[in-house]
Amino acid sequence: MTQKLVVIGAGMASGRVLEHLFEANAGYDVTLFNAEARGNYNRIMLSPVLSGEKTYDEIVTHDADWYEANGVTCRFGEHVTAIDREAKTVTGQNGTVAYDKLLIATGSAPFIIPVQGKDLPGVITYRDLDDTNAMIDAAAKGGKAVVIGGGLLGLEAAAGLAERGMEVTVLHLMGHLMERQLDESAGFLLRRDLQNKGVRIICQASTVAILGETHVEGVMLEDNTGLEADLVVMAVGIRPETRLATDAGLEVARGIEVNAQMQTSDLDIYAVGECVEFDGHLFGLVAPLYDQAKVVADSLVDEPNAFVVKELATKLKVTGCDLFSAGDFADGDGREDIVFRDPARGVYRRLVIDDDVLIGAVMYGDTADSNWFFGLIKDKTDISDMRDTLIFGPAYQGGTPLDPLAAVAALPRDAEICGCNGICKRQIEDAIAAGATDLGAVRATTKASGSCGTCTGLVEQVLAVTLGDDFVMPAAQSICACTDMTHEDVRRMIKSRALKSMPAVWQECGWKTSCGCHVCRPALNFYLLADWPLDYADDPQSRFINERKHANIQKDGTFSVVPRMWGGITTPDELRAIADAADKYAVPTVKVTGGQRIDLLGVQSEDLPHIWADLNAAGMVSGHAYSKGLRTVKTCVGTDHCRFGTQDSTGLGIKLEKTLWGSWTPHKLKLAVSGCPRNCAEATCKDIGVVCVDSGYQVSIGGAAGMDVKETELLVQVATEDEVIAVIKAVTQLYRENAKYLDRIYKWMAKVGLEWIKEQIDNPQTRQALVDRFELSQSIYRKDPWAEHAADKSESYQPLANLALEAAE
Amino acid sequence: MTNWIDIAALDDIPQRGARVVKTSDGCVAVFRTADDEVFALNNACPHKAGPLAEGIVHGKSVTCPLHNWVISLETGQAQGEDDGQVTTYPARIENRRILLDRSFLRAQAAA
Ligand code: SRM
Ligand SMILES: Cc1cc2nc3c(=O)[nH]c(=O)nc-3n(C[C@H](O)[C@H](O)[C@H](O)COP(=O)(O)OP(=O)(O)OC[C@H]3O[C@@H](n4cnc5c(N)ncnc54)[C@H](O)[C@@H]3O)c2cc1C
Ligand code: SF4
Ligand code: FES
C-alpha cells in the first residue's frame, strides 16, 4: 500500500529529499506544502538574482512538470497552521490532509532586532524571492540603503544593492566583517574590497532605532549617529522555524531535535534543514542539509544511514571578493599558525594546525587552492611532511622547488596584478591574446606596471605563464646575485615560515652563496630584527660600517660623531662638553647639521669609545646620524616663544624623539614638528611631519628632500599629543613590518597606497596592535649604543696589534 | 724563509669581521671568515684607499665600505667590472692564534 508522505516547506533541503526518494522509487504519495507561492528553487542563488547576474527562472530547481511527473500534490502559497500527532493530520490554510510519515522542512526565519520602527514599510529581511524582488524594486528608485548585519547575507545584499546603483551602508555590530568566518586580517581585506565597490562599512555599530513616519527614513545608532535610508535590510541572523513543531509538542531546543536518522521525538515525524538541531548543532549552509536529505530519504525506505556533522567551508558570492573560510581558526594552546600576506596584492592566507593536522583555513584574495586545503581539513591529513611549504598550496608540494610561476598560473583571472592601475590578470591575459607579447606592449595597452612598477615581476610572470616558451623571462629583480627571490618574497618567507636567523633564511630560501653579501645581509638583518625583535640577535657583521661602529665613516677612514639634541634643544653645559671633546680629540671640523644638531667630523676609530664616554658623561647619547633608523625630530620654537605658535611643537618633538630613538627602520626616518602652518621646521618634507593647528595636529607622511623632493600627504588629523604619538608609532611600525629595505616612506607608500596605510591607522585595534609591537621592539632597541660600546666593546675599536714600534726597533 | 709571529687570538676578530695591525708603513687588515680562515691584506682599497677592514666580509671577499668594490681576500684582486689589486700577506692559524709572517713587515718597510 502506498504510504502518504506530507512535506511542510519546499526549500533546498526538502527538494533534495524528494529527488532521492523518487530515484529510489519509494512509492510514497507526496503532498508538498509551501508558504511561499512557488515550489523549490535554489535559494542561495537569490544573490545573483539581486545583483542582476541571474533571473528567477534560471534558479528554479523543480518545475511544474517535475512535480506532475512524480505525482506530487502541490499546495504552494499555503501556510501549514497545525500538526495533529494523534490524528496524524496536517492542517493548512485550505484544509487538512492525513499522513503516514511527516517531514518538517520549514527552514529558518530571519531574526528581526526588536527596535522601534522595525515594522515600517521599507524595512525588509533577506530570505526569499519576495524579499529579493522588494529590494530590486526599491533599488530601481535609487537612494540610500542601510544593511544591518555584516555577515554573508548582509554583504551579498549590500553588494547587490550597490550593483543596482544604491548608496549602501553596512552596519555591523562586531569589530570586523563576517567575524564568525573570518579573522581580522581577512575581514579587513574584505572591507577594503567592498569599500572599493562603493559600499560604506561601519563596524561596532549598534542600531537603536529605525526612524520614519509612514516609511523608513533613517537609522539611528547608539552613538547618536543618524543615517538616512530609503531602504533598510535586516540581515542580522536566522533562527530555526520551529513554531509548528513546538505547538505539536515535539522536542525543540534551539531547533527541532532530531536523531542521526533525522527523526524527531515522534518517530513518524522527520525534520530536515535549517529548522533542525542535531547534537547541539544548528545549520545555515546547504552542504550539511544535502547530507541530511540523503539520510531522510534512506530512513523513509528503511535503508540504514546516519547523519554526521562535517567541516564546513564558506565562500562569499560577491564578485571580486574572493574569500574562503573553513574549520576552526581560533587561537589555542598547542595550535600553530601559518600566515602569508601580500598587502600589495591584497592576498591573505592563514592556516591553523593542531597536532600535524590542518584544522582551519582562512583565505582572502587568492582562493584558487581553497578546495585542496578544505580536503586536507576534511580528511585530517597528516601534514608534517609538507608543513614548510603548505601555505603555498598544492603547486609547491611533492618536492617541487618553489616556482613563482606556479603561483601566478594558479591566480584567478580577476586577481589584481597592478595595484596602482587596478589591472587584473584577466586584462593582462587578454592583452597578450590580442598581441602584446612583451612587457612594454602590456604596459602600453593595459597600463599594468606603468606606475610604481612593483608588479613588474608579476606581469612578466603572467607573460611567461601565458606565452610559455615564447616569452623569455628577464632576470627577476632579486635582492642580489645570492638569490632569485625578491625582497618581498623573502620578507614573506621570513614571516610565514618563521625564519628567525640568517642561516635559516639562506637555507630555506635557497641562497646561492654561503653567507650572502653586502647587499642582502644588511637587508636580512633588518627584516629579521624587525619581525622577530625578541628572538633574533642583531648581527653587527651584517651591518654597514656606519651602523656597526655607530658613526659615519669619512672618505679618509675617520668618523663623525653626532650626539642627540632632543628636538633641537641644547644647553650651555652640553655645548661646553662638545667643545671640550672637540679639543681633547683634536676634532678638525665642528659643524651645525641640517638636522638641528652638531657634528664632530674627523674622529679616529680608536678614539670613538672615549669621545662617546665623555659625551655620555655630559648626558648625551648617540644621535644615530649614521642609521637606517630614527634620525632627528626637528622642531620650531612653537608656543614657548613664537607669536604664531598654536601648540608646543618643541615639547612634542622632544617626546617623539625620546619615544622613537633607537628604532631601526627600512631606511632613515626623519621627523619634524612645526608649531603652525608657516612650517618653520619644514615638517612637510620629512618622512613623517606634524603641523600643529588650532584644533590639534596634522600628521602627514611620505615627504623627502634628498634625491627626490616630495611633499608629505595627510595621514590623519588628531586632537591630542597622545594620539599623535600613537599614530606615529603605529605608522612607523607598519613601515618597519612591510617596507622593502632601503625604501623611504614615500617609496613604500607609492607601492601600498596611502589609503591602505590610512585604513590600518584608522582602525583602533590595528593601530593599537602596531603600537604594542613597536613598543615590544623598543624594549630591546631603545638604548644608547655608544654607552654599550664604550663600556664593553672599546677594545674592538683598537688595532689588533701595533707592530710599528717593533719595526722601528 | 718564513718567520711567523703571533699577532692575537683568533677570537679577537669576530667571524666575518676584520681588525687592523698597525705597522710603521700603514695598516694591514686581518680578516676572519665564517669558516675560520684568516687573510691579511693592505688596508687600502685599490679604488680610493678605502679602509677594507671596515667592510662587510662575505665568503672569501670583502666589500669596501666607501664605494662597494668587492675584493678577493685570497688574491687581493678587485672582482667583477672593477680593476685593481691589493697586496696580500701570508697568514695562518695555529692553536686558535693568528700568525703573520714577519717578512711582510719588511715588504711593507721596503715598499
Ligand atoms: C651631516 C649632514 C649634513 C650637514 O652637515 O648638515 C648629512 C650628512 C650626510 N648625509 Fe644627509 N646629512 C644631513 C642632513 C640631510 C638632509 C636635511 C635634513 O635631514 O633635514 C637631507 C635631505 C632630507 C631627506 O633626507 O629627505 C639629507 C639627505 C641625504 C641623502 C638622500 C636621501 C634620499 O632619500 O634621497 C643621503 C643618502 C642616503 O641616505 O642614502 C644622505 C647621506 C648622508 C651621509 C650619511 C652620507 C654617507 O653615507 O656618508 C652624510 C654623512 C656625513 C658625515 O660623515 O657625517 N643625506 N641629509 C646632515 C645630518 C643631519 C643630522 O643631524 O642627522
Ligand atoms: C540570500 C541567501 C543566500 C544564501 N547563500 C548561501 C550560500 O552561498 N551557501 C550556502 O550553503 N547557503 C546559503 N544560504 C543558506 C541556504 O539557502 C539555506 O541553508 C537553505 O536554503 C536552507 O534550506 P531549508 O530547506 O532548510 O530551508 P528553506 O530553503 O528556507 O526552505 C524552507 C521553506 O519552508 C517554507 N515554510 C516555512 N514555514 C512554513 C509553514 N508553516 N508552512 C509552509 N511552508 C513553510 C518557507 O517558506 C520556505 O520556502 C543562503 C540563503 C539566502 C537567503
Ligand atoms: S612654525 Fe609657527 S610657531 Fe614655529 S616658529 Fe614658525 S611661526 Fe612660530
Ligand atoms: S675606496 Fe673602496 S670602493 Fe672606493
Side-chain angles (χ1 to χ4, degrees):
Chain A
M1 193 193 84
T2 46
Q3 295 214 73
K4 290 197 198 64
L5 172 68
V6 173
V7 181
I8 310 175
M12 302 205 62
S14 67
R16 216 20 108 81
V17 175
L18 295 180
E19 279 171 28
H20 288 307
L21 215 51
F22 296 138
E23 267 161 35
N25 289 319
Y28 276 100
D29 175 7
V30 178
T31 301
L32 177 60
F33 283 94
N34 201 19
E36 283 184 70
R38 55 192 74 85
N40 306 71
Y41 61 90
N42 189 347
R43 190 175 306 282
I44 70 178
M45 285 311 192
L46 286 176
S47 294
V49 171
L50 176 62
S51 64
E53 288 161 57
K54 283 204 175 344
T55 62
Y56 171 68
D57 290 338
E58 290 174 85
I59 69 165
V60 170
T61 52
H62 303 85
D63 57 14
D65 292 345
W66 188 84
Y67 297 122
E68 194 182 316
N70 292 294
V72 177
T73 309
C74 298
R75 294 178 66 164
F76 297 155
E78 184 175 355
H79 222 94
V80 171
T81 50
I83 300 168
D84 185 337
R85 287 164 57 199
E86 294 290 303
K88 290 189 112 177
T89 60
V90 163
T91 303
Q93 286 159 316
N94 303 331
T96 302
V97 57
Y99 69 81
D100 296 306
K101 302 281 180 198
L102 176 63
L103 176 62
I104 305 179
T106 47
S108 50
F111 183 71
I112 297 184
I113 45 174
V115 289
Q116 174 201 327
K118 66 182 168 47
D119 300 320
L120 281 171
V123 180
I124 45 188
T125 55
Y126 190 18
R127 182 70 197 171
D128 59 23
L129 182 68
D130 298 331
D131 299 331
T132 309
N133 285 335
M135 280 192 258
I136 293 172
D137 290 345
K141 298 191 211 104
K144 297 187 168 132
V146 169
V147 175
I148 305 178
L152 203 74
L153 278 191
L155 296 181
E156 289 185 7
L161 291 170
E163 193 71 27
R164 288 189 181 263
M166 288 194 94
E167 226 178 275
V168 184
T169 304
V170 173
L171 302 179
H172 190 53
L173 190 59
M174 310 306 283
H176 69 268
L177 297 174
M178 294 182 66
E179 78 284 349
R180 281 186 303 166
Q181 292 89 11
L182 302 182
D183 60 11
E184 271 192 298
S185 303
F188 155 75
L189 289 171
L190 172 60
R191 177 188 181 129
R192 186 186 68 175
D193 283 350
L194 287 168
Q195 279 171 337
N196 288 342
K197 290 179 177 295
V199 176
R200 184 172 161 220
I201 288 161
I202 309 181
C203 286
Q204 286 168 318
S206 172
T207 306
V208 289
I210 295 173
L211 313 173
E213 295 289 324
T214 54
H215 189 274
V216 61
E217 289 166 21
V219 172
M220 178 64 83
L221 301 185
E222 199 174 39
D223 64 2
N224 285 330
T225 313
L227 296 163
E228 285 176 34
D230 306 296
L231 172 72
V232 170
V233 180
M234 255 201 224
V236 292
I238 52 172
R239 128 182 318 181
E241 180 54 79
T242 57
R243 281 171 295 181
L244 279 176
T246 309
D247 293 348
L250 296 174
E251 275 174 33
V252 174
R254 288 176 300 162
I256 305 168
E257 290 189 276
V258 292
N259 61 19
Q261 280 65 51
M262 305 308 294
Q263 286 163 309
T264 66
S265 53
D266 178 333
L267 297 186
D268 286 331
I269 304 182
Y270 292 77
V272 70
E274 284 185 348
C275 59
V276 309
E277 176 169 340
F278 171 75
D279 198 16
H281 294 270
L282 295 179
F283 305 90
L285 294 172
V286 293
L289 311 190
Y290 289 162
D291 290 346
Q292 293 174 357
K294 180 74 177 119
V295 174
V296 172
D298 286 344
S299 302
L300 284 171
V301 297
D302 293 327
E303 282 279 329
N305 197 346
F307 174 65
V308 282
V309 178
K310 292 195 194 128
E311 291 297 343
L312 285 182
T314 308
K315 290 186 179 182
L316 181 73
K317 303 187 295 299
V318 174
T319 314
C321 300
D322 293 307
L323 69 79
F324 169 84
S325 142
D328 181 353
F329 53 87
D331 290 327
D333 276 353
R335 285 185 178 179
E336 185 190 338
D337 245 346
I338 304 181
V339 175
F340 167 98
R341 295 170 203 268
D342 183 344
R345 280 198 301 135
V347 171
Y348 172 74
R349 283 183 176 185
R350 174 154 165 249
L351 304 178
V352 181
I353 295 170
D354 195 356
D355 208 10
D356 288 338
V357 171
L358 186 63
I359 60 164
V362 183
M363 303 172 64
Y364 194 90
D366 172 5
T367 54
D369 299 331
S370 57
N371 288 337
W372 183 75
F373 285 112
F374 190 41
L376 296 181
I377 295 177
K378 280 195 299 193
D379 302 343
K380 301 193 167 53
T381 311
D382 182 333
I383 54 86
S384 44
D385 287 346
M386 52 184 168
R387 183 186 226 95
D388 288 348
T389 48
L390 189 65
I391 191 93
F392 300 106
Y396 292 125
Q397 309 311 324
T400 10
L402 295 183
D403 173 11
L405 284 186
V408 171
L411 284 175
R413 274 184 40 96
D414 51 11
E416 189 174 81
I417 302 284
C418 172
C420 298
N421 296 296
I423 307 300
C424 50
K425 186 179 169 194
R426 169 171 31 85
Q427 287 157 289
I428 297 169
E429 286 174 342
D430 292 350
I432 297 168
T437 53
D438 61 29
L439 182 65
V442 170
R443 196 174 277 167
T445 46
T446 66
K447 290 205 179 65
S449 82
S451 297
C452 82
T454 45
C455 62
T456 306
L458 274 180
V459 174
E460 284 166 352
Q461 287 170 1
V462 175
L463 275 158
V465 167
T466 315
L467 295 173
D469 292 342
D470 293 342
F471 181 74
V472 182
M473 183 95 129
Q477 288 152 329
S478 60
I479 298 180
C480 59
C482 301
T483 174
D484 290 333
M485 289 192 156
T486 61
H487 282 270
E488 289 78 6
D489 292 339
V490 170
R491 274 214 100 162
R492 253 177 255 146
M493 293 289 279
I494 289 173
K495 280 183 207 160
S496 63
R497 295 170 68 179
L499 306 179
K500 298 187 181 178
S501 70
M502 213 144 334
V505 176
W506 296 331
Q507 179 64 33
E508 299 300 318
C509 299
W511 240 243
K512 292 185 276 187
T513 51
S514 70
C515 61
C517 71
H518 65 278
V519 178
C520 58
R521 284 229 312 272
L524 294 183
N525 190 56
F526 169 73
Y527 295 150
L528 288 163
L529 73 85
D531 287 341
W532 313 108
L534 302 185
D535 308 271
Y536 176 71
D538 183 52
D539 175 23
Q541 300 314 125
S542 293
R543 287 184 176 275
F544 182 61
I545 184 63
N546 288 2
E547 295 186 346
R548 197 178 332 133
K549 285 201 165 165
H550 298 279
N552 271 305
I553 193 162
Q554 310 292 297
K555 60 189 230 179
D556 62 356
T558 62
F559 290 86
S560 71
V561 171
V562 185
R564 268 194 198 283
M565 284 181 180
W566 308 99
I569 293 290
T570 183
T571 62
D573 282 341
E574 283 184 359
L575 292 173
R576 257 188 292 272
I578 290 173
D580 289 346
D583 279 344
K584 183 168 170 190
Y585 301 98
V587 171
T589 307
V590 180
K591 184 181 180 302
V592 174
T593 73
Q596 296 188 341
R597 49 202 188 158
I598 291 174
D599 196 348
L600 300 162
L601 295 127
V603 180
Q604 301 295 328
S605 170
E606 296 103 285
D607 288 338
L608 287 173
H610 309 300
I611 193 170
W612 293 339
D614 288 3
L615 294 169
N616 278 163
M620 282 176 276
V621 296
S622 166
H624 294 89
Y626 46 80
S627 73
K628 307 288 178 248
L630 180 84
R631 295 288 181 89
T632 56
V633 182
K634 284 175 69 171
T635 71
C636 75
V637 288
T639 42
D640 275 355
H641 301 279
C642 176
R643 66 201 166 103
F644 294 119
T646 60
Q647 312 278 357
D648 178 13
S649 51
T650 322
L652 177 57
I654 293 171
K655 282 185 196 160
L656 283 168
E657 191 161 348
K658 291 211 160 167
T659 196
L660 298 176
W661 79 294
S663 60
W664 299 104
T665 45
H667 204 307
K668 55 193 178 189
L669 186 69
K670 298 178 174 180
L671 277 73
V673 187
S674 286
C676 83
R678 287 168 192 75
N679 195 18
C680 303
E682 299 167 327
T684 53
C685 64
K686 294 290 173 274
D687 296 281
I688 304 178
V690 181
V691 174
C692 303
V693 291
D694 278 323
S695 55
Y697 306 83
Q698 291 171 339
V699 182
S700 60
I701 61 171
M707 284 164 291
D708 291 312
V709 180
K710 298 267 175 204
E711 191 179 342
T712 53
E713 291 181 55
L714 184 68
L715 175 67
V716 63
Q717 171 156 352
V718 294
T720 64
E721 282 194 347
D722 285 348
E723 286 170 281
V724 174
I725 293 169
V727 163
I728 289 178
K729 281 187 199 170
V731 77
T732 302
Q733 183 64 13
L734 195 64
Y735 170 53
R736 284 161 43 88
E737 289 176 5
N738 290 290
K740 167 173 168 247
Y741 189 64
L742 298 188
D743 270 359
R744 293 280 290 264
I745 287 193
Y746 74 92
K747 287 198 180 154
W748 169 60
M749 191 163 105
K751 292 176 186 169
V752 301
L754 178 61
E755 278 314 302
W756 180 77
I757 299 172
K758 267 189 186 159
E759 279 164 45
Q760 309 299 300
I761 303 303
D762 286 346
N763 179 316
Q765 283 105 340
T766 315
R767 181 195 296 183
Q768 189 56 47
L770 286 164
V771 170
D772 293 346
R773 291 201 292 277
F774 182 74
E775 277 304 326
L776 179 76
S777 170
Q778 283 295 74
S779 69
I780 310 286
Y781 289 106
R782 191 190 283 129
K783 58 169 190 215
D784 180 23
W786 284 0
E788 218 166 273
H789 284 227
D792 308 332
K793 294 195 179 166
S794 182
E795 174 54 30
S796 70
Y797 287 77
Q798 314 307 318
L800 191 58
N802 192 340
L803 302 180
L805 307 170
E806 182 173 327
E809 277 166 18
Chain B
M1 193 195 86
T2 51
N3 184 359
W4 294 105
I5 49 172
D6 184 312
I7 296 292
L10 177 63
D11 291 327
D12 288 341
I13 305 178
Q15 283 189 327
R16 293 192 203 100
R19 298 271 297 271
V20 296
V21 174
K22 273 198 175 171
T23 76
S24 46
D25 284 285
C27 291
V28 170
V30 182
F31 295 86
R32 175 181 176 191
T33 66
D35 303 328
D36 282 347
E37 287 182 274
V38 289
F39 297 96
L41 286 79
N42 255 356
N43 190 32
C45 175
H47 179 219
K48 293 189 174 178
L52 295 175
E54 314 283 20
I56 290 181
V57 178
H58 46 101
K60 291 182 190 177
S61 304
V62 61
T63 300
C64 175
L66 294 194
H67 316 97
N68 290 337
W69 279 30
V70 178
I71 310 292
S72 160
L73 296 176
E74 288 173 305
T75 64
Q77 201 79 45
Q79 308 290 288
E81 302 290 285
D82 301 313
D83 206 15
Q85 190 170 17
V86 205
T87 312
T88 59
Y89 305 100
R92 65 183 181 92
I93 302 171
E94 205 175 281
N95 300 325
R96 291 191 81 78
R97 302 289 301 179
I98 298 167
L99 307 184
L100 294 185
D101 182 354
R102 190 185 289 272
S103 55
F104 88 90
L105 288 172
R106 306 223 179 87
Q108 279 279 96

